[in-house]
Amino acid sequence: MAPINLPWNKHEIALLLAYCIMIYNGAISMKNAISILSKRLRYSMEKMGIKVSETYRNENGIALQIQSMNCCLFGAKKGIKCKTLLFKDIASLYNSDKKVFAELLECAIRKYPFVKLDAICDGTVNVDLVECYLKKMLHDLQNNKRKNIIKPTAQNGLLDIKIVLLLPYFSGSKIITVYFFAIIFSLVYK
């Protein structure tokens, strides 16, 4: 069977939007988000027995789609313009009906499960923590706790710096990492 290259579906776009928000909020770097999402989407298709092409959801393609989604979400002036109707629809759904978007994101997380690979990113981020952040975002959306994207403030920026500096010290223990992450969230999202 020849490798395929499918158009983006609504579940992939929901995950892409969630990763864009994580990048925007400083939870993950652009480089690591691209790497993790690419591997997550490619691995899921291969696990279903579908042979994908070299370009299917590769890192270059993910980077372009993140620029396109940023245009849909934030109205970015530079970069790739959001021309795909489905991208606009999912971004609009996120902004207008968080509970319906949460259902879509939950389905996407199940359809494209988290992949833990040692070489998934550059080592500066704990990939378990990224998945924890994604699930926290989903929980907040389901419970309508977050009205809009959290805009960075001086206080949030300071906490983000502390997270980046302290994560390497907590990455050895999942329990401590999750506990530390919960404390930070309680401070940032009160």
Side-chain angles (χ1 to χ4, degrees), residues 15-186:
L15 275 173
L16 178 74
L17 187 147
Y19 277 82
C20 285
I21 293 169
M22 286 191 284
I23 293 165
Y24 182 81
N25 286 333
I28 187 171
S29 70
M30 173 86 82
K31 180 181 176 184
N32 288 333
I34 290 168
S35 179
I36 292 169
L37 186 57
S38 174
K39 286 177 176 54
R40 184 177 198 153
L41 297 177
R42 289 180 63 81
Y43 176 78
S44 295
M45 292 301 281
E46 291 167 357
K47 192 173 179 185
M48 289 189 271
I50 299 171
K51 188 174 182 180
V52 295
S53 70
E54 289 292 318
T55 59
Y56 179 82
R57 309 302 182 259
N58 69 5
E59 292 186 15
N60 289 335
I62 298 289
L64 292 172
Q65 298 305 338
I66 284 176
Q67 288 180 12
S68 180
M69 181 53 75
N70 282 337
C71 180
C72 291
L73 275 175
F74 310 117
K77 302 285 185 217
K78 61 181 185 175
I80 295 180
K81 299 294 180 215
C82 184
K83 295 180 182 174
T84 308
L85 184 60
L86 192 53
F87 272 57
K88 291 177 184 176
D89 289 345
I90 300 299
S92 176
L93 181 64
Y94 172 80
N95 288 319
S96 64
D97 194 344
K98 303 251 188 277
K99 288 203 179 231
V100 174
F101 177 79
E103 291 171 10
L104 180 63
L105 182 59
E106 184 176 30
C107 186
I109 290 169
R110 281 195 314 269
K111 186 174 182 178
Y112 300 99
F114 182 63
V115 183
K116 183 158 183 174
L117 300 171
D118 292 336
I120 204 162
C121 60
D122 66 10
T124 60
V125 71
N126 182 333
V127 290
D128 290 327
L129 198 57
V130 172
E131 189 67 5
C132 183
Y133 187 95
L134 186 61
K135 289 180 180 174
K136 169 73 172 141
M137 182 190 308
L138 177 62
H139 179 268
D140 287 352
L141 288 167
Q142 289 169 333
N143 295 303
N144 206 18
K145 288 186 177 179
R146 200 178 297 172
K147 301 279 185 209
N148 293 310
I149 297 169
I150 304 297
K151 303 254 185 213
T153 64
Q155 183 183 8
N156 287 352
L158 181 60
L159 286 173
D160 289 343
I161 291 168
K162 288 180 184 174
I163 291 171
V164 171
L165 293 175
L166 293 174
L167 277 180
Y169 299 105
F170 290 102
S171 63
S173 168
K174 288 182 184 177
I175 294 170
I176 292 174
T177 301
V178 171
Y179 179 71
F180 173 73
F181 194 64
I183 290 171
I184 294 300
F185 263 112
S186 68

